Amino acid sequence: WTIDTVAPNTTITAHPDDPSNSANASFSFMSTETGSTFECRLDGAAFGPCTSPRAYTGLVDGQHTFEVRATDAADNTDPTPASYTWTIDTLAPDTTITDRPDDPSNSANASFSFSSTETGSTFECRLDGGSFSACTSPQTYAGLIDGSHTFEVQAIGPAGNPDPTPASYTWTIDTVAPNTTITAYPDDPSDSANASFSFTSTETGSTFECRLDGGTFSACTSPQTYTGLVDGIHTFEVRATDAAGNTDPTPASYTWTIDTAAPDTIITDQPDDPSDSPNASFSFTSTKPG
């Protein structure tokens, strides 16, 4: 007869990923001694007979531990069962865009920052309906053309669950400055110490800045009026800034002269007084040319 006092050693040869996004699990195992039988248990329950592979279904999310021990033909049982602990995570993460360009934007470049509700997630990004590809936060783009663009990003949890509803952001790039036009202005010359200007932009939604006689540009709306101006030459300028922040680099300008002083009229030649002629001729001038 054969005496065998040495217990077999048990090895797990196949197991789920850790973490796993499946509620099912399968384990394969072997013994160092041919003819061994096996006992398995899950999560600290009682050991029970099993064969390789051992499958489980419908497991709940969370951490699980599988153990298996071999017993050889001489009834020696492995005193140190093979053990494997893994986490099941079937819930997809949620993705959030935390930083993005303005809408509209006057930059051909864009940068996006994003996060996941699950630590350790990886990310995939795409622009304008292209293919998703691996990315990290922040994701930047350069040299984009004017127009509408859409950025999307999805988190993939450590267990491999992708966010089924990627975070999305749509914005418009506008790098073209508006053109400003003065549509109403004083006569030149003008006999009024007051002046009113109306103006428009080629882009709807623009704001305006005005200045008079080389002063500082400041916010204004159409019409812009001035009162109590002194006699002399004046210059009005106005520039539009569109919703994307592009400012007209060539402000619209109008120069005019205010003259509120009346001329003085002088008669320089006239008939004698008294005169013996039935005809009369007068010559006269003004103190102002024109």
Side-chain angles (χ1 to χ4, degrees):
W1 76 103
T2 300
I3 295 176
D4 176 7
T5 61
V6 179
N9 189 47
T10 318
T11 304
I12 298 172
T13 57
H15 49 75
D17 293 332
D18 180 32
S20 169
N21 61 8
S22 174
N24 304 326
S26 179
F27 296 87
S28 297
F29 36 88
M30 59 180 291
S31 169
T32 52
E33 292 193 34
T34 304
S36 293
T37 59
F38 298 92
E39 289 181 312
C40 299
R41 72 175 180 178
L42 185 67
D43 296 335
F47 276 104
C50 60
T51 56
S52 179
R54 177 68 167 97
Y56 299 92
T57 60
L59 299 177
V60 298
D61 278 22
Q63 190 177 79
H64 298 277
T65 298
F66 170 78
E67 295 172 274
V68 58
R69 64 188 181 188
T71 299
D72 64 19
D75 284 335
N76 299 296
T77 299
D78 184 355
T80 56
S83 177
Y84 181 75
T85 298
W86 82 110
T87 298
I88 294 177
D89 176 9
T90 60
L91 297 177
D94 189 44
T95 319
T96 303
I97 297 172
T98 57
D99 191 40
R100 56 193 178 274
D102 293 331
D103 180 34
S105 167
N106 62 7
S107 174
N109 304 326
S111 179
F112 295 87
S113 297
F114 36 87
S115 64
S116 168
T117 52
E118 289 193 31
T119 303
S121 293
T122 59
F123 298 91
E124 290 183 328
C125 300
R126 73 175 178 180
L127 185 68
D128 297 335
S131 299
F132 277 106
S133 60
C135 59
T136 56
S137 179
Q139 171 68 22
T140 60
Y141 299 95
L144 300 177
I145 62 174
D146 278 23
S148 179
H149 297 276
T150 298
F151 170 77
E152 295 171 275
V153 56
Q154 64 179 5
I156 300 172
N161 302 301
D163 184 352
T165 56
S168 177
Y169 181 72
T170 298
W171 82 109
T172 299
I173 294 177
D174 175 9
T175 60
V176 178
N179 190 48
T180 318
T181 303
I182 297 172
T183 57
Y185 44 81
D187 292 333
D188 181 33
S190 168
D191 62 356
S192 174
N194 304 326
S196 179
F197 296 87
S198 298
F199 35 87
T200 63
S201 168
T202 51
E203 292 194 35
T204 303
S206 293
T207 58
F208 297 91
E209 291 181 315
C210 301
R211 72 175 179 181
L212 185 67
D213 297 335
T216 302
F217 276 105
S218 60
C220 59
T221 57
S222 179
Q224 171 68 22
T225 60
Y226 299 95
T227 60
L229 299 178
V230 299
D231 281 19
I233 297 175
H234 297 278
T235 298
F236 170 77
E237 294 172 277
V238 57
R239 63 187 183 191
T241 299
D242 64 20
N246 301 296
T247 298
D248 185 353
T250 56
S253 178
Y254 181 75
T255 298
W256 82 111
T257 300
I258 294 176
D259 178 7
T260 59
D264 188 35
T265 316
I266 301 169
I267 297 173
T268 58
D269 191 41
Q270 67 275 329
D272 293 335
D273 179 31
S275 169
D276 60 359
S277 172
N279 303 323
S281 177
F282 295 87
S283 297
F284 37 85
T285 65
S286 168
T287 52
K288 292 190 180 181

